[in-house]
mmCIF file of all heavy atoms in Angstrom:
data_model
loop_
_atom_site.group_PDB
_atom_site.id
_atom_site.type_symbol
_atom_site.label_atom_id
_atom_site.label_comp_id
_atom_site.label_asym_id
_atom_site.label_seq_id
_atom_site.Cartn_x
_atom_site.Cartn_y
_atom_site.Cartn_z
ATOM 1 N N GLY A 114 188.086 -17.114 22.987
ATOM 2 C CA GLY A 114 187.404 -16.411 21.915
ATOM 3 C C GLY A 114 185.984 -16.877 21.670
ATOM 4 O O GLY A 114 185.026 -16.351 22.242
ATOM 5 N N ALA A 115 185.836 -17.895 20.799
ATOM 6 C CA ALA A 115 184.513 -18.325 20.349
ATOM 7 C C ALA A 115 183.615 -18.769 21.491
ATOM 8 O O ALA A 115 182.450 -18.352 21.580
ATOM 9 C CB ALA A 115 184.667 -19.460 19.331
ATOM 10 N N LYS A 116 184.137 -19.612 22.373
ATOM 11 C CA LYS A 116 183.303 -20.098 23.472
ATOM 12 C C LYS A 116 182.891 -18.963 24.405
ATOM 13 O O LYS A 116 181.747 -18.915 24.874
ATOM 14 C CB LYS A 116 184.038 -21.188 24.256
ATOM 15 C CG LYS A 116 183.985 -22.554 23.606
ATOM 16 C CD LYS A 116 184.506 -23.633 24.538
ATOM 17 C CE LYS A 116 184.230 -25.017 23.983
ATOM 18 N NZ LYS A 116 184.702 -26.086 24.899
ATOM 19 N N LYS A 117 183.796 -18.074 24.655
ATOM 20 C CA LYS A 117 183.491 -16.944 25.526
ATOM 21 C C LYS A 117 182.329 -16.138 24.967
ATOM 22 O O LYS A 117 181.420 -15.727 25.701
ATOM 23 C CB LYS A 117 184.732 -16.066 25.686
ATOM 24 C CG LYS A 117 184.557 -14.868 26.609
ATOM 25 C CD LYS A 117 185.862 -14.085 26.694
ATOM 26 C CE LYS A 117 185.703 -12.834 27.532
ATOM 27 N NZ LYS A 117 186.962 -12.047 27.593
ATOM 28 N N GLY A 118 182.332 -15.930 23.643
ATOM 29 C CA GLY A 118 181.250 -15.190 23.014
ATOM 30 C C GLY A 118 179.927 -15.939 23.075
ATOM 31 O O GLY A 118 178.869 -15.335 23.316
ATOM 32 N N ILE A 119 179.975 -17.259 22.884
ATOM 33 C CA ILE A 119 178.759 -18.066 22.953
ATOM 34 C C ILE A 119 178.181 -18.051 24.358
ATOM 35 O O ILE A 119 176.964 -17.916 24.552
ATOM 36 C CB ILE A 119 179.048 -19.514 22.499
ATOM 37 C CG1 ILE A 119 179.369 -19.547 21.007
ATOM 38 C CG2 ILE A 119 177.855 -20.423 22.796
ATOM 39 C CD1 ILE A 119 179.852 -20.894 20.513
ATOM 40 N N TYR A 120 179.055 -18.181 25.354
ATOM 41 C CA TYR A 120 178.564 -18.193 26.739
ATOM 42 C C TYR A 120 177.919 -16.853 27.109
ATOM 43 O O TYR A 120 176.911 -16.820 27.818
ATOM 44 C CB TYR A 120 179.710 -18.521 27.696
ATOM 45 C CG TYR A 120 180.264 -19.913 27.500
ATOM 46 C CD1 TYR A 120 181.606 -20.209 27.761
ATOM 47 C CD2 TYR A 120 179.453 -20.955 27.051
ATOM 48 C CE1 TYR A 120 182.112 -21.479 27.583
ATOM 49 C CE2 TYR A 120 179.963 -22.231 26.858
ATOM 50 C CZ TYR A 120 181.293 -22.482 27.124
ATOM 51 O OH TYR A 120 181.795 -23.746 26.935
ATOM 52 N N ALA A 121 178.489 -15.773 26.634
ATOM 53 C CA ALA A 121 177.879 -14.460 26.888
ATOM 54 C C ALA A 121 176.517 -14.383 26.203
ATOM 55 O O ALA A 121 175.544 -13.874 26.780
ATOM 56 C CB ALA A 121 178.795 -13.346 26.397
ATOM 57 N N PHE A 122 176.434 -14.881 24.974
ATOM 58 C CA PHE A 122 175.176 -14.890 24.231
ATOM 59 C C PHE A 122 174.112 -15.717 24.954
ATOM 60 O O PHE A 122 172.930 -15.345 24.993
ATOM 61 C CB PHE A 122 175.420 -15.454 22.827
ATOM 62 C CG PHE A 122 174.178 -15.754 22.052
ATOM 63 C CD1 PHE A 122 173.415 -14.726 21.509
ATOM 64 C CD2 PHE A 122 173.761 -17.067 21.864
ATOM 65 C CE1 PHE A 122 172.249 -15.014 20.789
ATOM 66 C CE2 PHE A 122 172.608 -17.350 21.148
ATOM 67 C CZ PHE A 122 171.852 -16.326 20.614
ATOM 68 N N LEU A 123 174.533 -16.849 25.556
ATOM 69 C CA LEU A 123 173.600 -17.723 26.259
ATOM 70 C C LEU A 123 173.237 -17.203 27.644
ATOM 71 O O LEU A 123 172.341 -17.742 28.290
ATOM 72 C CB LEU A 123 174.198 -19.132 26.381
ATOM 73 C CG LEU A 123 174.368 -19.914 25.078
ATOM 74 C CD1 LEU A 123 175.045 -21.257 25.338
ATOM 75 C CD2 LEU A 123 173.026 -20.119 24.389
ATOM 76 N N GLY A 124 173.952 -16.190 28.103
ATOM 77 C CA GLY A 124 173.661 -15.635 29.419
ATOM 78 C C GLY A 124 174.283 -16.395 30.559
ATOM 79 O O GLY A 124 173.775 -16.367 31.692
ATOM 80 N N VAL A 125 175.404 -17.091 30.289
ATOM 81 C CA VAL A 125 176.118 -17.810 31.351
ATOM 82 C C VAL A 125 176.674 -16.786 32.337
ATOM 83 O O VAL A 125 177.539 -15.982 31.991
ATOM 84 C CB VAL A 125 177.258 -18.664 30.761
ATOM 85 C CG1 VAL A 125 178.056 -19.334 31.881
ATOM 86 C CG2 VAL A 125 176.697 -19.715 29.802
ATOM 87 N N ARG A 126 176.174 -16.826 33.569
ATOM 88 C CA ARG A 126 176.517 -15.778 34.533
ATOM 89 C C ARG A 126 177.970 -15.827 34.989
ATOM 90 O O ARG A 126 178.573 -14.783 35.268
ATOM 91 C CB ARG A 126 175.595 -15.884 35.756
ATOM 92 C CG ARG A 126 174.154 -15.461 35.480
ATOM 93 C CD ARG A 126 173.261 -15.786 36.661
ATOM 94 N NE ARG A 126 173.776 -15.211 37.909
ATOM 95 C CZ ARG A 126 173.403 -15.598 39.125
ATOM 96 N NH1 ARG A 126 172.519 -16.582 39.257
ATOM 97 N NH2 ARG A 126 173.901 -15.016 40.197
ATOM 98 N N GLU A 127 178.527 -17.024 35.074
ATOM 99 C CA GLU A 127 179.921 -17.164 35.509
ATOM 100 C C GLU A 127 180.660 -18.129 34.597
ATOM 101 O O GLU A 127 180.173 -19.231 34.319
ATOM 102 C CB GLU A 127 179.994 -17.655 36.959
ATOM 103 C CG GLU A 127 179.512 -16.634 37.976
ATOM 104 C CD GLU A 127 179.640 -17.128 39.408
ATOM 105 O OE1 GLU A 127 179.785 -18.362 39.609
ATOM 106 O OE2 GLU A 127 179.585 -16.298 40.325
ATOM 107 N N TYR A 128 181.819 -17.695 34.154
ATOM 108 C CA TYR A 128 182.656 -18.495 33.262
ATOM 109 C C TYR A 128 184.063 -18.557 33.851
ATOM 110 O O TYR A 128 184.765 -17.543 33.905
ATOM 111 C CB TYR A 128 182.660 -17.879 31.866
ATOM 112 C CG TYR A 128 183.598 -18.535 30.878
ATOM 113 C CD1 TYR A 128 183.884 -19.894 30.932
ATOM 114 C CD2 TYR A 128 184.198 -17.790 29.860
ATOM 115 C CE1 TYR A 128 184.732 -20.483 30.018
ATOM 116 C CE2 TYR A 128 185.046 -18.369 28.936
ATOM 117 C CZ TYR A 128 185.314 -19.722 29.022
ATOM 118 O OH TYR A 128 186.159 -20.308 28.120
ATOM 119 N N PHE A 129 184.450 -19.750 34.298
ATOM 120 C CA PHE A 129 185.772 -19.942 34.891
ATOM 121 C C PHE A 129 186.655 -20.761 33.955
ATOM 122 O O PHE A 129 186.167 -21.645 33.247
ATOM 123 C CB PHE A 129 185.658 -20.658 36.243
ATOM 124 C CG PHE A 129 185.205 -19.770 37.373
ATOM 125 C CD1 PHE A 129 183.866 -19.457 37.536
ATOM 126 C CD2 PHE A 129 186.122 -19.246 38.272
ATOM 127 C CE1 PHE A 129 183.438 -18.638 38.573
ATOM 128 C CE2 PHE A 129 185.720 -18.429 39.321
ATOM 129 C CZ PHE A 129 184.370 -18.123 39.465
ATOM 130 N N GLN A 130 187.948 -20.450 33.993
ATOM 131 C CA GLN A 130 188.930 -21.203 33.215
ATOM 132 C C GLN A 130 190.081 -21.604 34.135
ATOM 133 O O GLN A 130 190.523 -20.812 34.973
ATOM 134 C CB GLN A 130 189.467 -20.362 32.062
ATOM 135 C CG GLN A 130 188.421 -19.947 31.047
ATOM 136 C CD GLN A 130 188.999 -18.989 30.018
ATOM 137 O OE1 GLN A 130 189.827 -19.369 29.203
ATOM 138 N NE2 GLN A 130 188.582 -17.741 30.068
ATOM 139 N N TYR A 131 190.565 -22.831 33.930
ATOM 140 C CA TYR A 131 191.672 -23.331 34.739
ATOM 141 C C TYR A 131 192.672 -24.029 33.829
ATOM 142 O O TYR A 131 192.303 -24.863 32.995
ATOM 143 C CB TYR A 131 191.145 -24.306 35.796
ATOM 144 C CG TYR A 131 192.224 -25.107 36.496
ATOM 145 C CD1 TYR A 131 193.244 -24.468 37.198
ATOM 146 C CD2 TYR A 131 192.229 -26.498 36.451
ATOM 147 C CE1 TYR A 131 194.241 -25.198 37.831
ATOM 148 C CE2 TYR A 131 193.211 -27.236 37.091
ATOM 149 C CZ TYR A 131 194.217 -26.588 37.775
ATOM 150 O OH TYR A 131 195.202 -27.314 38.399
ATOM 151 N N ASP A 132 193.925 -23.683 34.000
ATOM 152 C CA ASP A 132 195.023 -24.292 33.242
ATOM 153 C C ASP A 132 195.850 -25.154 34.194
ATOM 154 O O ASP A 132 196.664 -24.634 34.960
ATOM 155 C CB ASP A 132 195.888 -23.195 32.618
ATOM 156 C CG ASP A 132 197.115 -23.742 31.908
ATOM 157 O OD1 ASP A 132 197.198 -24.972 31.722
ATOM 158 O OD2 ASP A 132 197.996 -22.939 31.542
ATOM 159 N N PRO A 133 195.650 -26.472 34.191
ATOM 160 C CA PRO A 133 196.335 -27.328 35.169
ATOM 161 C C PRO A 133 197.851 -27.358 35.030
ATOM 162 O O PRO A 133 198.553 -27.620 36.004
ATOM 163 C CB PRO A 133 195.726 -28.713 34.917
ATOM 164 C CG PRO A 133 195.160 -28.651 33.545
ATOM 165 C CD PRO A 133 194.736 -27.234 33.333
ATOM 166 N N THR A 134 198.369 -27.086 33.832
ATOM 167 C CA THR A 134 199.820 -27.109 33.647
ATOM 168 C C THR A 134 200.452 -25.739 33.848
ATOM 169 O O THR A 134 201.674 -25.632 33.994
ATOM 170 C CB THR A 134 200.175 -27.612 32.233
ATOM 171 O OG1 THR A 134 199.648 -26.703 31.260
ATOM 172 C CG2 THR A 134 199.585 -29.006 31.997
ATOM 173 N N GLY A 135 199.628 -24.686 33.856
ATOM 174 C CA GLY A 135 200.166 -23.341 34.042
ATOM 175 C C GLY A 135 200.923 -22.814 32.835
ATOM 176 O O GLY A 135 201.679 -21.850 32.945
ATOM 177 N N ASP A 136 200.697 -23.421 31.654
ATOM 178 C CA ASP A 136 201.432 -23.026 30.454
ATOM 179 C C ASP A 136 200.682 -22.038 29.576
ATOM 180 O O ASP A 136 201.290 -21.362 28.748
ATOM 181 C CB ASP A 136 201.755 -24.266 29.610
ATOM 182 C CG ASP A 136 202.708 -25.221 30.316
ATOM 183 O OD1 ASP A 136 203.579 -24.738 31.066
ATOM 184 O OD2 ASP A 136 202.576 -26.438 30.111
ATOM 185 N N TYR A 137 199.353 -21.961 29.730
ATOM 186 C CA TYR A 137 198.557 -21.237 28.739
ATOM 187 C C TYR A 137 197.738 -20.090 29.318
ATOM 188 O O TYR A 137 197.277 -19.234 28.574
ATOM 189 C CB TYR A 137 197.616 -22.217 28.015
ATOM 190 C CG TYR A 137 198.334 -23.464 27.567
ATOM 191 C CD1 TYR A 137 198.063 -24.694 28.141
ATOM 192 C CD2 TYR A 137 199.315 -23.401 26.571
ATOM 193 C CE1 TYR A 137 198.744 -25.834 27.748
ATOM 194 C CE2 TYR A 137 200.002 -24.535 26.176
ATOM 195 C CZ TYR A 137 199.711 -25.749 26.759
ATOM 196 O OH TYR A 137 200.392 -26.869 26.376
ATOM 197 N N LEU A 138 197.533 -20.088 30.632
ATOM 198 C CA LEU A 138 196.778 -19.008 31.271
ATOM 199 C C LEU A 138 197.619 -18.359 32.360
ATOM 200 O O LEU A 138 198.288 -19.047 33.124
ATOM 201 C CB LEU A 138 195.491 -19.545 31.910
ATOM 202 C CG LEU A 138 194.286 -19.836 31.021
ATOM 203 C CD1 LEU A 138 193.107 -20.263 31.885
ATOM 204 C CD2 LEU A 138 193.900 -18.636 30.183
ATOM 205 N N ASN A 139 197.556 -17.047 32.424
ATOM 206 C CA ASN A 139 198.216 -16.312 33.496
ATOM 207 C C ASN A 139 197.281 -15.190 33.945
ATOM 208 O O ASN A 139 197.053 -14.245 33.200
ATOM 209 C CB ASN A 139 199.552 -15.734 33.009
ATOM 210 C CG ASN A 139 200.323 -15.062 34.122
ATOM 211 O OD1 ASN A 139 200.105 -15.358 35.307
ATOM 212 N ND2 ASN A 139 201.230 -14.160 33.775
ATOM 213 N N PRO A 140 196.715 -15.320 35.150
ATOM 214 C CA PRO A 140 196.929 -16.365 36.150
ATOM 215 C C PRO A 140 196.311 -17.703 35.737
ATOM 216 O O PRO A 140 195.490 -17.769 34.833
ATOM 217 C CB PRO A 140 196.247 -15.800 37.405
ATOM 218 C CG PRO A 140 195.230 -14.852 36.873
ATOM 219 C CD PRO A 140 195.808 -14.253 35.642
ATOM 220 N N GLN A 141 196.730 -18.734 36.444
ATOM 221 C CA GLN A 141 196.377 -20.112 36.114
ATOM 222 C C GLN A 141 194.884 -20.405 36.272
ATOM 223 O O GLN A 141 194.332 -21.235 35.564
ATOM 224 C CB GLN A 141 197.196 -21.038 37.025
ATOM 225 C CG GLN A 141 197.196 -22.492 36.658
ATOM 226 C CD GLN A 141 198.143 -23.273 37.549
ATOM 227 O OE1 GLN A 141 198.923 -22.709 38.320
ATOM 228 N NE2 GLN A 141 198.089 -24.589 37.457
ATOM 229 N N LEU A 142 194.242 -19.699 37.213
ATOM 230 C CA LEU A 142 192.806 -19.827 37.454
ATOM 231 C C LEU A 142 192.166 -18.459 37.275
ATOM 232 O O LEU A 142 192.596 -17.488 37.898
ATOM 233 C CB LEU A 142 192.536 -20.365 38.863
ATOM 234 C CG LEU A 142 191.072 -20.431 39.306
ATOM 235 C CD1 LEU A 142 190.285 -21.410 38.440
ATOM 236 C CD2 LEU A 142 190.971 -20.828 40.779
ATOM 237 N N GLN A 143 191.163 -18.375 36.423
ATOM 238 C CA GLN A 143 190.512 -17.102 36.141
ATOM 239 C C GLN A 143 189.003 -17.280 36.175
ATOM 240 O O GLN A 143 188.470 -18.328 35.804
ATOM 241 C CB GLN A 143 190.924 -16.573 34.753
ATOM 242 C CG GLN A 143 192.407 -16.321 34.596
ATOM 243 C CD GLN A 143 192.781 -15.813 33.215
ATOM 244 O OE1 GLN A 143 191.919 -15.363 32.451
ATOM 245 N NE2 GLN A 143 194.064 -15.877 32.893
ATOM 246 N N GLY A 144 188.318 -16.239 36.624
ATOM 247 C CA GLY A 144 186.867 -16.258 36.653
ATOM 248 C C GLY A 144 186.300 -14.997 36.036
ATOM 249 O O GLY A 144 186.875 -13.911 36.174
ATOM 250 N N LEU A 145 185.192 -15.138 35.347
ATOM 251 C CA LEU A 145 184.509 -14.006 34.731
ATOM 252 C C LEU A 145 183.041 -14.026 35.142
ATOM 253 O O LEU A 145 182.439 -15.105 35.239
ATOM 254 C CB LEU A 145 184.594 -14.080 33.200
ATOM 255 C CG LEU A 145 185.987 -14.077 32.571
ATOM 256 C CD1 LEU A 145 185.896 -14.400 31.081
ATOM 257 C CD2 LEU A 145 186.667 -12.729 32.763
#
Side-chain angles (χ1 to χ4, degrees):
K116 280 190 170 182
K117 182 179 176 181
I119 292 172
Y120 295 150
F122 169 74
L123 293 177
V125 176
R126 289 171 54 198
E127 291 182 343
Y128 174 32
F129 283 80
Q130 298 174 69
Y131 168 59
D132 175 11
T134 63
D136 295 326
Y137 313 112
L138 281 184
N139 185 22
Q141 192 174 350
L142 175 64
Q143 299 179 16
L145 300 170

